[in-house]
Amino acid sequence: MHYYLDFCLKYNHSYIDRENLALFLKKLESKRQSKTKRDEATKAVLLYYQMAGSSMVTDRSLINDVPLALRESSISYNQSTKDGQALNRGCSWIAELKKLTDEILVRHYSRRTLQTYMSWAKKFQSFLGSKDPGCIEVDDVKRYLTYLATDCHVAASTQNQAFNALLFFFRHVLGQEFGKLDGVVRAKRSNYIPIVLSREEIDEVVKHLSPPYDLVVKILYGCGLRISECLNLRVQCFNFDMGVLTVHDGKGGKDRTVPLPVTILPELHQQLKLVQELHQQDLATKNYSGVFLPTALERKFKNAPKEFIWQWFFPALRLTRVPKSTDYRRYHLHDSHVTKAIKTASATAAIPKRVTAHTFRHSFASHLLQANYDIRTIQELLGHSDVKTTMIYTHTVKSTTAQEAKSPLDL
């Protein structure tokens, strides 16, 4: 259902326009979706129309484009309003979603935050059947949060994420305040202990990775970076003389420095040489406009996109064409490619754990703690605002106190 809403938003269609189902099915067909997938999509959209209180499913021009089996399985709309009052469903949220985007961008929140908040806003819209935004009440939020906990069985962190997204939407888009949300069923919070790899397991994963993914993982583990922080590294972030790596605009827009692993310095220099060669090729490419820069730096430093110090340390394999222009720019390596490479390598190495890019950050903190580094130092290296966040890694290492815990069988 979210694909249909995204389709309508992208092409500026009304969510209940009678032509949209046929157009959506043609779009799916052009994307080489199977007939089974298209039938499932049709059924979902018909149910959405029914929830939105639209009688357009009886239109013959639209029904002719819908498979017979799905027409028979759909329930025709039944006008159930009382006293002649029409349901305020099936409204467009295009203006509200656009305002949500603007409010996030003006606060310089990260792209990931924008994606997350937009996703929850669209899910909330779908849950309400595209209810008129002006008629949304706090009770709608209560019902949705309860639905997430009781019907979807989401984790407590997921429900809290939805709460924060909808709080932002209410406050900055609808101009309302939540007040107290009494009666909301809260998902049970669990004490999550991160998955940590041994040094041998990390070496096995790296051994099954090809360049540049092996170096990416070495930096993730060797410097304790998040995957976004690693892929956003630029040439100027590396200070080889001082032996430090500067992470700019980390989580929360914070900067920090971490030591460069001495053992991978030759590989870092080799990668820097490859970046320089690629940069020279890009400069000779027609319509090349340089790399993508954050915020308004390009307006301030017009030549910066083509300067070597601003080049990505892990550049994408291909140039990206700028929409609505003939210019080409270089983006960094996509995180999905790294994720896929790590998953394949860990499976090939037969690691009996769930391995993600963030696992190497967990391993970084746990191994430092195991090497008797104090918790405050680890907090600084990880960039945590609160030491309580770092304290979770005390559960990932074995205790080394004199009264070490043992199994009763070993007493």
Side-chain angles (χ1 to χ4, degrees):
M1 191 57 233
H2 298 302
Y3 293 114
Y4 173 74
L5 297 177
D6 289 340
F7 169 79
C8 293
L9 180 63
K10 181 178 180 180
Y11 296 102
N12 200 24
H13 294 325
S14 170
Y15 296 109
I16 58 170
D17 190 286
R18 73 180 190 88
E19 299 291 342
N20 285 348
L21 179 53
L23 295 174
F24 181 58
L25 293 176
K26 291 178 181 178
K27 185 68 174 180
L28 292 180
E29 188 175 4
S30 68
K31 294 289 185 179
R32 298 183 180 178
Q33 294 290 339
S34 64
K35 184 177 182 301
T36 302
K37 293 289 185 182
R38 297 200 302 271
D39 289 350
E40 290 176 354
T42 304
K43 187 173 182 179
V45 174
L46 286 176
L47 290 175
Y48 169 73
Y49 289 153
Q50 178 192 337
M51 290 174 58
S54 172
S55 58
M56 71 177 188
V57 294
T58 60
D59 190 288
R60 299 309 305 176
S61 63
L62 179 61
I63 289 180
N64 290 337
D65 291 323
V66 179
L68 177 61
L70 296 181
R71 272 184 267 151
E72 293 174 347
S73 65
S74 64
I75 305 174
S76 61
Y77 170 71
N78 179 23
Q79 185 92 15
S80 58
T81 56
K82 297 180 180 180
D83 301 327
Q85 296 179 354
L87 293 172
N88 52 353
R89 306 277 180 172
C91 299
S92 172
W93 282 33
I94 294 177
E96 285 70 24
L97 295 177
K98 174 63 168 61
K99 186 177 180 182
L100 175 62
T101 302
D102 294 341
E103 292 290 340
I104 291 175
L105 293 179
V106 79
R107 288 168 174 78
H108 299 288
Y109 289 173
S110 67
R111 176 177 57 88
R112 188 63 57 86
T113 301
L114 172 60
Q115 292 174 342
T116 301
Y117 280 23
M118 283 289 290
S119 175
W120 281 118
K122 291 178 181 179
K123 290 176 182 177
F124 186 54
Q125 176 189 6
S126 178
F127 175 79
L128 298 179
S130 292
K131 183 178 180 180
D132 185 352
C135 300
I136 296 177
E137 301 173 346
V138 177
D139 286 340
D140 295 322
V141 179
K142 293 181 181 179
R143 289 192 299 108
Y144 183 56
L145 295 177
T146 301
Y147 161 77
L148 290 177
T150 58
D151 290 29
C152 300
H153 306 289
V154 300
S157 58
T158 303
Q159 191 188 42
N160 288 335
Q161 186 185 75
F163 171 84
N164 292 331
L166 295 180
L167 175 64
F168 186 92
F169 182 77
F170 259 65
R171 181 173 294 169
H172 301 292
V173 177
L174 301 182
Q176 301 181 32
E177 289 293 337
F178 264 6
K180 291 185 178 180
L181 291 181
D182 298 326
V184 176
V185 178
R186 303 305 298 268
K188 185 178 180 181
R189 182 180 293 275
S190 59
N191 293 324
Y192 172 73
I193 298 179
I195 295 174
V196 174
L197 301 179
S198 66
R199 180 57 189 274
E200 292 74 17
E201 289 173 329
I202 291 174
D203 291 340
E204 280 296 312
V205 173
V206 172
K207 187 169 65 176
H208 290 87
L209 287 169
S210 59
Y213 303 111
D214 56 346
L215 185 56
V216 170
V217 169
K218 288 179 181 179
I219 293 180
L220 291 175
Y221 169 64
C223 300
L225 303 190
R226 301 175 179 91
I227 185 171
S228 59
E229 295 171 340
C230 180
L231 298 183
N232 277 296
L233 291 175
R234 299 179 189 265
V235 171
Q236 62 179 333
C237 297
F238 292 82
N239 189 334
F240 291 104
D241 294 333
M242 300 299 294
V244 295
L245 172 66
T246 303
V247 180
H248 294 287
D249 293 325
K251 189 174 182 179
K254 295 175 293 185
D255 292 1
R256 72 181 189 277
T257 58
V258 296
L260 277 174
V262 177
T263 55
I264 64 171
L265 286 179
E267 297 176 65
L268 294 176
H269 283 292
Q270 178 62 26
Q271 177 65 17
L272 193 62
K273 183 179 179 181
L274 294 175
V275 172
Q276 193 167 19
E277 293 174 355
L278 181 63
H279 179 51
Q280 294 300 321
Q281 296 176 15
D282 287 343
L283 292 176
T285 303
K286 184 180 179 181
N287 296 334
Y288 177 67
S289 300
V291 294
F292 289 98
L293 290 183
T295 60
L297 277 175
E298 186 172 350
R299 291 199 297 271
K300 187 176 182 180
F301 308 108
K302 296 187 181 298
N303 297 324
K306 293 186 178 182
E307 293 178 0
F308 179 62
I309 62 172
W310 286 102
Q311 303 307 300
W312 304 107
F313 193 73
F314 293 108
L317 301 178
R318 299 180 181 84
L319 293 173
T320 301
R321 183 172 180 177
V322 180
K324 299 180 181 179
S325 74
T326 59
D327 294 340
Y328 287 86
R329 289 183 179 263
R330 179 73 65 178
Y331 195 54
H332 62 65
L333 197 64
H334 200 275
D335 55 2
S336 63
H337 296 165
V338 178
T339 301
K340 184 177 180 180
I342 291 174
K343 183 176 181 181
T344 302
S346 60
T348 306
I351 304 298
K353 299 174 183 176
R354 180 176 176 268
V355 183
T356 66
H358 213 67
T359 305
F360 299 100
R361 178 175 162 89
H362 293 322
S363 302
F364 165 86
S366 300
H367 292 175
L368 286 182
L369 193 62
Q370 198 171 23
N372 294 324
Y373 278 73
D374 65 275
I375 198 72
R376 284 286 288 113
T377 299
I378 299 174
Q379 177 195 355
E380 297 262 341
L381 293 175
L382 292 175
H384 286 162
S385 300
D386 194 336
V387 72
K388 292 180 181 179
T389 309
T390 317
M391 290 293 291
I392 192 173
Y393 296 110
T394 59
H395 299 285
T396 64
V397 298
K398 189 178 179 181
S399 173
T400 57
T401 61
Q403 297 297 327
E404 182 177 350
K406 292 185 178 180
S407 168
L409 289 174
D410 297 330
L411 293 177

